[in-house]
Amino acid sequence: MMEHREEILSFYRDKKVLVAGGAGFIGSNLSKELVKCGAKVGIIDGFVEHTGASRENIQSILSEIELYDSRIEDIASLQEIVERFEFIIDSMALTPHNFGVSYPLLDIQINLLSHLHLINALKGTEDKKLIYLGSRGQYGQGAGIITEETPQVPIDPQGINKMAAESYFKFYGKKYGFSAASLRIANCFGENQRVTGDDVGLVGSFIRDILNGKTVEIYGDEFRHKNLVYVKDLVKIILEFGMHDFKGFEAYNIAGLRVSLKNLLEAIIEIAGKGRYVVKSFPDAIRHIDTGEAEFSDSKIKNKVGGFELHDLKKSLTNTIKYFEKQISTEGRDDLAV
């Protein structure tokens, strides 16, 4: 493992990497790890409300990066910026599903149009490589085993717009001559994610409610399974993938661990030392955006990178709960969050 770590360090050392959305949950974790690897990191982020972007997320690396503090559509010199970097990771996203349902125009602006602005800036550049962070939600509910060949039938605006953005990367990559890989990611959790508001994700909402003394509600069946990815594992997978060559357009699933809601909650309650949950029928607001529990296969990316190790669920949950405890004690309870 130490030898493999050295390979990552060697590959990214002095490499110029641009992270769009680099102050957000996943983007900030990527940016920090790239800085540790010795990469020359640029971050584009307008700190748009509801995206999870925060200056606190990147405070520790501000002196070591180039920060373009603006919404991507407002950067007049975007093409010149893009040309200066060898490698681009596009992690721009609006993540709260129900919020996107209520505000579809904002979802379009962030989950689709922001990526088109980046694509426009790639016109005329030479042989750029880009990784786009897609979503399990692009497939919708699916059935059986979901592979990269499974038809994408998204059931909410976020999935629709992320699928559309991916399609534009595929089309314009061929037209403009850049290579793009879409990584379709399952539910992600971990440090630097929001602890308030609607965009805390499945695991985050469970942790937040338990720490705040609320009874967690499970809808449908406690034995339903979900795929979960710890953000530190995701970052490692993305960086390992980036070391391998890819041409044209390629798509890969990232599944993480497959865990029942019962086992997930029991682990959180054990680590937190408190909490309870109840099982209820699906409310309409949740039923229409729930993607079900079809098995999510990521054998394709494992074959590409030669396999990878994941954190033990309890270890990753322990790290995340510690982060939530610290943030909640600083920001206060979530009861008043907007």
Side-chain angles (χ1 to χ4, degrees):
M1 292 298 295
M2 181 61 71
E3 180 180 349
H4 191 54
R5 171 67 177 168
E6 287 301 317
E7 290 177 1
I8 295 175
L9 289 170
S10 176
F11 181 84
Y12 287 101
R13 187 175 294 118
D14 293 326
K15 187 173 291 294
K16 298 177 181 178
V17 184
L18 180 65
V19 185
F25 168 34
I26 297 174
S28 62
N29 277 282
L30 276 165
S31 298
K32 287 180 177 179
E33 191 61 29
L34 284 164
V35 168
K36 285 182 184 178
C37 291
K40 299 183 185 301
V41 178
I43 289 177
I44 295 176
D45 209 304
F47 300 93
V48 180
E49 190 177 6
H50 304 295
T51 63
S54 165
R55 292 184 185 280
E56 182 183 358
N57 286 345
I58 57 172
Q59 188 64 42
S60 64
I61 59 171
L62 277 177
S63 63
E64 302 173 80
I65 64 168
E66 293 182 61
L67 175 61
Y68 304 97
D69 183 356
S70 175
R71 293 180 65 129
I72 194 166
E73 62 266 32
D74 296 329
I75 301 177
S77 60
L78 183 60
Q79 186 166 21
E80 288 79 2
I81 292 169
V82 167
E83 287 177 345
R84 292 207 301 271
F85 291 87
E86 305 166 62
F87 199 83
I88 302 164
I89 301 176
D90 182 355
S91 64
M92 296 181 290
L94 178 73
T95 57
H97 294 268
N98 268 325
F99 188 88
V101 172
S102 300
Y103 301 95
L105 294 180
L106 181 59
D107 201 285
I108 289 172
Q109 289 173 14
I110 298 173
N111 285 332
L112 178 55
L113 294 182
S114 63
H115 310 292
L116 285 171
H117 285 287
L118 179 59
I119 288 170
N120 282 339
L122 285 162
K123 184 178 182 180
T125 60
E126 294 291 333
D127 299 322
K128 294 290 184 183
K129 290 191 178 295
L130 178 144
I131 293 177
Y132 166 67
L133 303 192
S135 170
R136 156 68 178 85
Q138 293 171 216
Y139 295 104
Q141 294 181 332
I145 300 175
I146 295 176
T147 71
E148 291 79 3
E149 303 306 314
T150 299
Q152 297 182 57
V153 189
I155 57 175
D156 73 343
Q158 186 200 86
I160 292 168
N161 289 320
K162 291 188 79 67
M163 179 184 72
E166 180 184 288
S167 299
Y168 278 110
F169 279 118
K170 183 177 182 180
F171 176 82
Y172 280 105
K174 185 176 182 179
K175 183 175 179 64
Y176 292 164
F178 64 86
S179 295
S182 177
L183 306 184
R184 300 166 182 167
I185 302 163
N187 295 286
C188 189
F189 69 96
E191 296 90 330
N192 285 12
Q193 73 176 109
R194 288 284 301 275
V195 304
T196 60
D198 295 328
D199 54 341
V200 297
L202 176 71
V203 177
S205 67
F206 287 170
I207 292 173
R208 178 188 62 189
D209 287 351
I210 285 172
L211 293 180
N212 282 339
K214 297 180 181 178
T215 299
V216 174
E217 295 181 350
I218 294 180
Y219 301 120
D221 185 344
E222 64 186 313
F223 296 100
R224 291 194 306 133
H225 284 72
K226 293 291 185 181
N227 283 88
L228 312 173
V229 183
Y230 179 45
V231 70
K232 301 296 185 185
D233 291 331
L234 176 59
V235 166
K236 186 170 181 246
I237 293 168
I238 292 170
L239 294 186
E240 287 187 4
F241 175 83
M243 294 169 58
H244 293 75
D245 191 35
F246 57 91
K247 294 289 186 182
F249 175 83
E250 300 179 11
Y252 297 86
N253 295 339
I254 299 181
L257 300 173
R258 185 168 167 80
V259 183
S260 74
L261 297 180
K262 176 181 172 64
N263 289 343
L264 171 61
L265 272 164
E266 287 180 348
I268 294 172
I269 290 169
E270 178 186 342
I271 296 165
K274 62 179 180 179
R276 63 185 298 269
Y277 68 90
V278 296
V279 181
K280 292 189 173 184
S281 59
F282 269 102
D284 289 340
I286 301 298
R287 181 186 293 108
H288 77 271
I289 61 169
D290 185 79
T291 56
E293 59 171 338
E295 184 176 344
F296 195 43
S297 171
D298 61 358
S299 58
K300 181 180 177 181
I301 195 169
K302 287 177 179 175
N303 291 335
K304 177 85 168 181
V305 305
F308 42 77
E309 295 182 8
L310 301 175
H311 279 77
D312 172 81
L313 178 63
K314 286 192 175 181
K315 175 63 176 176
S316 59
L317 287 174
T318 297
N319 293 344
T320 306
I321 289 170
K322 287 180 180 177
Y323 171 77
F324 267 68
E325 288 174 335
K326 180 180 178 181
Q327 294 299 111
I328 288 173
S329 67
T330 301
E331 300 178 16
R333 292 172 60 92
D334 188 50
D335 302 311
L336 301 178
V338 176

